[in-house]
């Protein structure tokens, strides 16, 4: 075997290893962010909270993500991915463990530590994305980012499979131990194994214009952010309230509902990979993004109608909506990183996620109130309007 062949194999092995670590880090952050949503039935039934109040608790990690994502992105741009992943996920593990210990003392403390943990776990968003973008060439980047983006539905799936049953059988504290363990293990692995991807020196980057602000005088990134904000609404509605809907409207058991939500998230993960590979094949992130938006509108509207008619087809459409509403994330995330470049992608990805989490943090309390007053069909129908608005905002193509 020639030296060149060995070097190519080593480069390929390193590339896919970094992707695996990025997926693990993002999955751990996803478990932390979404585990509280699956505490809603326990908070509602045992703690006596309304759906809107329980939704506020569920939103605390998301609010934590919201307030600091751009700052984490700036830190990644400065010090690199490995240290950010290790520090952030380690702090998230500590916060989750503390939330578990204090959950029986005060719901206010529970919410506070979930918020603090969210600020720490958000480090994985920009850093793991940068690892993947940095190590993969453009013709494989959509696929790679699709695989990386499947980490979030995988995190939801892990939380859905474990948290409701553990919370019902053993209480909130033991349920929150799940994200603590995941984040702690991911922090150790990232510190030990992640290699920061290569990028040009700041002097070379300045000559190539890579230090220039990609937002100045250009609307493409702003439009992608706006589209992602709109598309995250049906996604988080399905994620947050699917379990409650199955249990209260469809009269499923907590265990059965958890299994279905887990299956939906796993299918969503596969959908993200398919969307990324599709974008590589057609040589565009934007055309698939526009078509995903239109499909999401149709899926949510169909879910609303079938639920209103009390049709058993509504459960199948929930699965369909769970896949379609997450397919856009990898497309938009990849496009943002490619447009922003190696010295702005941390901040741009932070801005991308900040805008998404701003919308996501509003979804649980607002749609919890809508469901409480008007029912689930109205909430599903209202969310279908968001992708309708998003589709024409998608840029014609990335420059």
């Amino acid at each position: 075997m020639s030296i060149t062949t060995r070097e190519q194999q080593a480069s390929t092995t390193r590339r896919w290893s970094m992707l695996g670590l990025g997926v693990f880090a993002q999955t751990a952050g996803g478990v932390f962010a979404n585990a509280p949503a699956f505490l809603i039935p326990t908070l509602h039934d045992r703690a006596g909270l309304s759906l809107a109040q329980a939704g506020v608790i569920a939103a605390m990690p998301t609010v934590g993500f919201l307030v600091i994502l751009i700052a984490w992105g700036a830190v990644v741009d400065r010090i690199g991915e490995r240290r950010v992943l290790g520090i952030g996920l380690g702090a998230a593990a500590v916060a989750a463990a503390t939330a578990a210990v204090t959950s029986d003392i005060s719901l206010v403390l529970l919410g506070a530590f979930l918020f603090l943990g969210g600020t720490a776990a958000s480090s994985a968003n920009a850093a793991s994305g940068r690892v993947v973008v940095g190590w993969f060439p453009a013709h494989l980047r959509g696929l790679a980012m699709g695989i990386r983006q499947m980490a979030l539905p995988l995190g939801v799936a892990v939380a859905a499979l474990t948290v409701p049953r553990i919370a019902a059988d053993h209480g909130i504290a033991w349920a929150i131990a799940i994200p603590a363990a995941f984040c702690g293990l991911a922090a150790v692995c990232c510190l030990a194994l992640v290699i920061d991807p290569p990028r040009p020196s700041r002097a070379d980057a300045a000559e190539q214009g890579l230090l220039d602000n990609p937002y100045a005088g250009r609307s493409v990134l702003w439009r992608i952010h706006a589209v992602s904000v709109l598309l995250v609404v049906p996604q988080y509605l399905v994620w947050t309230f699917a379990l409650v809907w199955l249990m209260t409207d469809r009269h499923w058991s907590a265990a059965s509902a958890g299994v279905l939500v887990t299956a939906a998230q796993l299918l969503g993960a596969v959908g993200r990979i398919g969307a990324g590979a599709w974008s590589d094949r057609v040589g565009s992130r934007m055309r698939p993004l526009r078509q995903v938006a239109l499909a999401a509108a149709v899926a949510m509207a169909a879910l609303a109608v079938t639920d209103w008619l009390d049709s058993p087809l509504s459960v199948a459409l929930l699965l369909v909506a769970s896949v379609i509403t997450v397919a856009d994330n990898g497309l938009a995330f990849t496009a943002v990183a490619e447009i922003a470049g190696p010295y702005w992608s941390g901040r741009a990805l932070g801005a991308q996620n900040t805008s998404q989490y701003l919308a996501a943090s509003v979804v649980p309390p607002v749609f919890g109130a809508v469901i409480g007053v008007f029912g689930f069909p109205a909430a599903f129908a209202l969310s279908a309007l968001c992708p309708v608005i998003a589709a024409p905002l998608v840029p014609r193509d990335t420059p």
Side-chain angles (χ1 to χ4, degrees), residues 111-145:
F113 283 110
L114 290 176
F115 167 79
L116 291 174
T119 64
S122 65
S123 61
N125 285 54
S128 65
R130 276 273 300 266
V131 167
V132 177
V133 170
W135 281 112
F136 278 82
H139 70 280
L140 291 174
R141 199 172 290 146
L143 171 62
M145 287 295 283

Side-chain angles (χ1 to χ4, degrees), residues 136-385:
F136 278 82
H139 70 280
L140 291 174
R141 199 172 290 146
L143 171 62
M145 287 295 283
I147 294 173
R148 182 264 182 189
Q149 288 296 102
M150 80 177 187
L152 189 50
L154 283 179
V156 177
V158 170
L161 190 62
T162 58
V163 170
R165 179 173 294 182
I166 292 174
D169 293 345
H170 304 289
I172 293 173
W174 282 104
I176 299 176
I178 299 297
F182 265 86
C183 289
L185 182 59
V188 172
C189 290
C190 289
L191 280 174
L193 300 173
V194 165
I195 302 171
D196 291 346
R199 60 178 178 171
S201 67
R202 297 190 72 86
D204 291 340
E207 291 182 4
Q208 299 170 36
L210 296 177
L211 299 183
D212 297 341
N213 184 348
Y215 290 94
R218 303 170 66 190
S219 66
V220 174
L221 286 176
W222 294 110
R223 291 176 66 177
I224 295 173
H225 294 333
V227 168
S228 297
V229 165
L230 290 164
L231 294 182
V232 87
V233 173
Q235 173 184 319
Y236 264 78
L237 173 62
V238 171
W239 281 0
T240 303
F241 290 106
L243 188 74
V244 177
W245 176 73
L246 287 167
M247 293 172 64
T248 59
D249 258 34
R250 303 293 98 184
H251 309 296
W252 286 36
S253 68
S256 297
V259 170
L260 184 72
V261 172
T262 301
Q265 294 304 320
L266 293 175
L267 289 172
V270 175
R272 290 187 180 205
I273 297 173
W278 175 22
S279 74
D280 285 339
R281 185 176 181 84
V282 301
S284 170
R285 316 300 179 198
M286 296 298 99
R287 293 200 302 274
L289 180 60
R290 186 177 303 107
Q291 293 177 44
V292 166
L294 294 172
V298 173
M300 294 306 298
L303 177 58
V305 171
T306 54
D307 187 32
W308 178 61
L309 295 174
D310 200 27
S311 169
L313 287 175
S314 59
V315 175
L317 283 167
L318 177 74
L319 287 173
V320 172
S322 297
V323 174
I324 293 174
T325 57
V326 302
D328 64 282
N329 292 70
L331 299 172
F333 211 74
T334 306
V336 167
E338 290 174 334
I339 294 167
Y343 280 93
W344 269 89
S345 58
R347 281 163 285 183
L349 292 175
Q352 168 75 3
N353 280 143
T354 297
S355 59
Q356 287 181 299
Y357 280 114
L358 177 61
S361 65
V362 174
V363 168
V366 169
F367 278 88
V370 171
I371 291 165
V373 176
F374 300 106
F376 281 101
F380 295 146
L382 182 61
S383 74
L385 295 176

